[in-house]
Amino acid sequence: MSTGEILREAVESLTPIGLEAKAILEAGGLVSDGIAIKIVRERLDQPDAQLGFVLDGFPRTVRQAEALDEIIKNRGSLIVIAFVVPDEEVVRRLSRRRVCRQCGTNYGDGQGELPSTCMQCGCELVLRSDDCEDIVRKRLALYHRLTQPLVEFYGGRPTFGTIDGSQPLATVAATVAATVAKYKQGEPLCAGSSAS
Ligand code: AMP
């Protein structure tokens, strides 16, 4: 589940949360911890999340991380993977990324040419309004100030690993799979070191 995706849907559907979040998303800010935690709590209560889930974009603050520990108490282990990517590579990737206006599919990983329309539904591909460079730099500044402290928060846990996210998508995906497999075999994920 992606909190960003849930928020973008809420903005589209003009729900109370969407109306509150719209300007924040457009400016590259973070919605309040209260809203983010409420979204995750409700989503993880759904039947399809009972056997396990992957969280994307959450937690983004220490307060969210503390709430997550509480939400998933007695629900099994939390594996945390930090994808490390230099800021300039993040700016390069996001200025190239295009998303489908209709179904939200992302395009732009790798160096190849981008398709002109969505390969899933045929709709138009657009630059996300918060992917323009000045907003991305603001999001990165918030990331360093509020989200990076989570490396310290989770760093001492055997279920925390880091992966070099600047590698090609297929390599990153394979490393994630290997990291999870390693945990399942009972090995610590070696906090702070490459998990490949
Ligand atoms: P993302 O799709 O993860 O890049 O998120 C898009 C935007 O949604 C972010 O720039 C924030 O404005 C908001 N957002 C998503 N997840 C969170 C979160 N956990 N806490 C606060 N704001 C969030």
Side-chain angles (χ1 to χ4, degrees), residues 2-5 7-8 24-25 28-33 36 56-60 64 97 128 130 139:
S2 151
T3 40
E5 212 169 286
L7 284 163
R8 281 187 290 279
I24 299 171
L25 262 70
L30 290 184
V31 303
S32 70
D33 284 334
D56 166 19
F58 185 94
R60 269 177 152 102
Q64 292 179 17
R97 170 164 76 174
R128 236 172 75 174
D130 59 348
R139 290 162 64 197

Side-chain angles (χ1 to χ4, degrees), residues 126-157:
V126 293
L127 181 71
R128 236 172 75 174
S129 61
D130 59 348
D131 276 352
C132 58
E133 185 174 341
D134 54 334
I135 303 286
V136 169
R137 291 203 184 274
K138 187 172 164 201
R139 290 162 64 197
L140 279 167
L142 274 180
Y143 170 81
H144 289 300
R145 185 156 64 83
L146 298 173
T147 309
Q148 212 162 12
L150 294 179
V151 171
E152 182 129 333
F153 181 87
Y154 288 119
R157 301 188 186 186

Side-chain angles (χ1 to χ4, degrees), residues 21-40:
K22 186 172 191 291
I24 299 171
L25 262 70
E26 280 170 0
L30 290 184
V31 303
S32 70
D33 284 334
I35 288 182
I37 292 165
K38 182 173 186 299
I39 287 173
V40 169

